[in-house]
Amino acid sequence: MKKKLITTAAAVALTLSSMVPALAATKATAPDPTAAQVAQGLLSVYTTQQVWPKGLITAPLPGQKHTPRMNWANNATPSPRSAWVGLSTVFPGQPASQYAQDLGMTNVPQDQPITAGTLAQWLLNWQLTARIPKELQYQMKYQPTQDPYTLMSDYSFFYGTNFKGRNTVVNAHDLAMVEKNIVDVDQCYRVLGKDKIELLRPMTMVWGYGKNASITLPAQSLQEVDHTILSFEKNRVIVDPTVVLSPFTVGATYFKSLRSGVLRVGQVYNMNKSQSVTIDAFLTPKTTGHFQPSEVETDVTGEFLPVSIGFNKPFMLFGLSGAGFTCPQYYITFSRGRFSGIYVDGFIDNNWPSFEIN
């Protein structure tokens, strides 16, 4: 079904040389960071991440005022999309010194270390305040769990940490990993090495409605998405869904620009067990993406395409779908047959800011 709304593109184009962020080395004897230091570390990351601007709401909802490009609560002042990054657009007019309190990070002694359980609550506060629209937060009941520590662990925010449970004290290494994981989860993939990524799903609000909406438990669906690994070879993508708990589909399409329009060539695999599949892109310099010059437009096929990929650049559109889950779409670009970058576009049922397409 064609969607009227899409989210803003995460559109993070990475070169191979910059795909693996370096974590600051920490000495084993370094003191555990205090609550104030943890809060400052998290805020330094939040200032770089896409957020949900105050007043922006999803459509259609009763009493909503429509604007030509976006949907805003009555009397709310629209923020340009360029401002949908950092907490200043979530807390307009407030000084940065207030952000920690706004996000519930001053509820413990500021000169003492914190536990993983406290950190989990702080991360959840950020999701609910800055990433998830208020009118969709009633859907939190569909999350895999209501426990903050387990939920943040499920969503891969604690990947690479040494946490043994909610009472583990957060050390410098753990904080560095969590800071990196925030970026990874938001961009919907984690770099495992050269030419290899692991897909990640951002916290989303739609897992299904009613008793018969999904045959798969949310925790299982999340596990399936977050354990799919893509490896890139020349003109090929190796898809390895290392966890398969219910049938789902792996699919990819590449677009070929022709005078008569856009030819879509796709390959779809139905998965019911953990097995690798190879998707042949057959991408050459003559196989090109077809884009409109405006910020977000549709091409002749009706597909939404991120203009940030650029004109006439070969790409593959990749996605997963199954009972009880969807995942963002991954636009994979190639240069001379080799993987060159990845761009991510969410769906309306993700928590990324969405706007109306006229």
Side-chain angles (χ1 to χ4, degrees), residues 312-329:
N312 298 324
K313 181 181 294 184
F315 74 95
M316 172 189 288
L317 175 62
F318 174 84
L320 303 177
S321 63
F325 72 85
T326 57
C327 79
Q329 295 186 105

Side-chain angles (χ1 to χ4, degrees), residues 7-284:
T7 61
T8 61
V12 182
L14 299 180
T15 60
L16 293 180
S17 62
S18 63
M19 288 190 69
V20 184
L23 293 175
T26 57
K27 296 181 180 179
T29 57
D32 298 328
T34 65
Q37 290 171 331
V38 173
Q40 186 57 47
L42 297 180
L43 288 172
S44 67
V45 177
Y46 296 162
T47 59
T48 68
Q49 300 303 290
Q50 181 172 279
V51 294
W52 191 273
K54 185 176 182 179
L56 180 65
I57 61 177
T58 56
L61 292 172
Q64 177 179 319
K65 178 184 289 186
H66 292 267
T67 62
R69 290 295 301 272
M70 305 169 193
N71 299 291
W72 297 87
N74 291 340
N75 301 318
T77 302
S79 300
R81 285 183 57 199
S82 59
W84 293 1
V85 174
L87 294 175
S88 62
T89 189
V90 180
F91 305 113
Q94 290 210 35
S97 59
Q98 189 71 20
Y99 294 163
Q101 182 176 331
D102 293 334
L103 292 171
M105 296 192 290
T106 57
N107 62 335
V108 295
Q110 294 296 286
D111 60 348
Q112 299 295 316
I114 66 170
T115 65
T118 297
L119 177 58
Q121 184 63 62
W122 289 3
L123 293 171
L124 182 57
N125 291 347
W126 171 67
Q127 291 284 338
L128 294 175
T129 303
R131 292 278 294 174
I132 300 174
K134 289 184 178 180
E135 72 272 13
L136 294 182
Q137 290 185 12
Y138 72 94
Q139 296 176 16
M140 283 296 293
K141 61 185 178 181
Y142 296 109
Q143 290 293 338
T145 176
Q146 299 301 304
D147 173 65
Y149 177 82
T150 305
L151 189 61
M152 294 301 103
S153 180
D154 286 348
Y155 273 101
S156 204
F157 285 101
F158 294 158
Y159 173 85
T161 67
N162 296 318
F163 296 155
K164 304 299 182 184
R166 68 188 74 254
N167 294 323
T168 301
V169 174
V170 178
N171 62 32
H173 165 80
D174 298 329
L175 177 58
M177 288 304 305
V178 169
E179 291 173 358
K180 180 180 182 301
N181 292 335
I182 290 170
V183 177
D184 289 346
V185 174
D186 283 0
Q187 71 184 14
C188 303
Y189 64 89
R190 172 181 291 118
V191 176
L192 300 180
K194 184 179 179 180
D195 297 334
K196 181 175 290 189
I197 66 171
E198 180 181 39
L199 304 188
L200 298 173
R201 177 175 176 160
M203 185 174 288
T204 182
M205 290 288 90
V206 176
W207 287 99
Y209 298 94
K211 295 181 179 179
N212 299 318
S214 170
I215 64 172
T216 309
L217 295 175
Q220 293 180 346
S221 298
L222 181 58
Q223 203 176 3
E224 289 175 314
V225 173
D226 281 8
H227 286 80
T228 297
I229 296 173
L230 303 186
S231 302
F232 304 98
E233 298 181 354
K234 188 169 184 178
N235 284 333
R236 299 200 305 175
V237 180
I238 310 300
V239 185
D240 184 11
T242 58
V243 174
V244 177
L245 301 170
S246 63
F248 70 99
T249 300
V250 174
T253 301
Y254 73 86
F255 292 70
K256 188 173 184 179
S257 180
L258 301 174
R259 288 185 179 181
S260 59
V262 176
L263 174 65
R264 301 177 58 185
V265 182
Q267 300 175 54
V268 177
Y269 299 88
N270 296 314
M271 312 293 293
N272 56 19
K273 61 181 180 179
S274 298
Q275 63 183 46
S276 297
V277 298
T278 300
I279 298 178
D280 296 310
F282 301 115
L283 294 172
T284 68

